[in-house]
Amino acid sequence: MPENFMKNKILVTGGAGYLGSHTCIALHEAGYDIAVYDNLSNSSREAINRVSTLIGQKIEFIEGDIRDAELLRQVFASHEFFGVIHFAGLKAVGESVVKPLLYYNNNVGGTIILLEVMAEYDVKSLVFSSSATVYGDPDTLPIDESSKRFCTNPYGQSKLAIEYILEDLAKADNSWNLIALRYFNPIGAHSSGQIGEDPNGIPNNLMPYISQVAVGKLEKLSIFGNDYPTVDGTGVRDFIHVTDLAQGHVAALDYLEQQISSNKINISKKKSVGFLPINLGTGGGTSVLELVNAFTEVTGRDISYQFTDRRLGDIASCYADIDKAKFLLGWKAKLSIHDMCQDSWRWQILNPNGYD
Ligand code: NAD
Ligand code: UD1
């Protein structure tokens, strides 16, 4: 790519967070010009500073809430965006059960406001952070995009509600191009060890918990259940490296750009992308115990663990059918479980207290 070549400008909501910060790097490397919009409710300015250092260029950052329509209007009025990657949202399942209104207000209410402002400025391309959680407990594996959707907690319901809103919007107005990327279990960190997942308090998710046991911050991992009908009785998930996931967003944007430009040429056949859900996973499952063992193998650290009861709401196995991402986006995850462990560990030892 020529040095000065810049692709379209993209607004990245939630770009200071775990997935957003990694995606900003991938977007920059792919030639996209980006602006990050985040209220820092679950992230820090330091993440933005580090992304700027890694890409060798100061990132344009706007501190703001997606529910602040006036600020969003100012941002859209002063930029020419091709589209939006929409990561902004709250994501803690347990907290969502205790504070459902907060989750519906922030995630669903915030997305509606964002879509309304996008419509006002005729920016109609969006890549939305959905989740494999929308599949609930699947009937068959691997899970493809046509599987039934069913959620049991307010966090999952908020993702599902947003998917329904996007679907309805695409039906009502065929000029929208809306991709919902359904992430499986993103883990790992940037290979530099400079950015990674920085959970508040005691982690709920497996990989940050393992890393904190390994570094001595937590004493012992509780493995929730060893009586599932899986390879070793522990839960099976489709863990995907965050860097691969970030590349999936670049592939989704490239796809939207291609579709839109080819539709402009074939005006007679004008058809937008509409609503397009796509799984982002590796297509394979790894059990909790297998991940713990891989982590020990890669890092040389023993992870002390105990088996406890199953966690309420957990399912036995979950992994993606990835054909749609392969065929439509030309994207496939490349990094291994070993890479995920190595990079999570590098981030953890270089930043034992996260960004603080
Ligand atoms: P994260 O919490 O690290 O990042 C989300 C970012 O959004 C944070 O920086 C937060 O400050 C910001 N934010 C939240 N509400 C906002 C608001 N109202 N206005 C502006 N900014 C706001 O989470 P993440 O892991 O990077 O996840 C990003 C998205 O992907 C979320 O929508 C999440 O639900 C979804 N997702 C994540 C996972 C995962 O395992 N991490 C899996 C499936 C889906
Ligand atoms: C969880 C959320 C899901 C969300 C995803 C990413 C639940 C029920 N689901 O998925 O909605 O999209 O995170 O944020 O919370 N495990 C342990 N011990 C631990 C932690 C986890 O054994 O301390 C096990 C779990 O039982 C599971 C696996 O590890 O089998 C993965 O758990 P986790 O990392 O929390 O992800 P999910 O539950 O798959």
Side-chain angles (χ1 to χ4, degrees), residues 250-261:
V250 174
L253 272 184
D254 288 349
Y255 176 80
L256 287 181
E257 279 197 341
Q258 281 157 16
Q259 293 300 307
I260 290 164
S261 59

Side-chain angles (χ1 to χ4, degrees), residues 210-267:
I210 293 177
S211 312
Q212 293 197 14
V213 171
V215 85
K217 278 180 81 176
L218 295 170
E219 199 190 324
K220 196 177 264 198
L221 169 73
S222 291
I223 296 185
F224 303 138
N226 61 347
D227 56 352
Y228 284 110
T230 60
V231 59
D232 54 23
T234 66
V236 165
R237 296 291 183 275
D238 188 343
F239 298 102
I240 172 169
H241 197 296
V242 62
T243 300
D244 277 331
L245 192 96
Q247 292 298 342
H249 291 75
V250 174
L253 272 184
D254 288 349
Y255 176 80
L256 287 181
E257 279 197 341
Q258 281 157 16
Q259 293 300 307
I260 290 164
S261 59
S262 67
N263 286 339
K264 269 189 197 143
I265 294 160
N266 297 308
I267 290 173

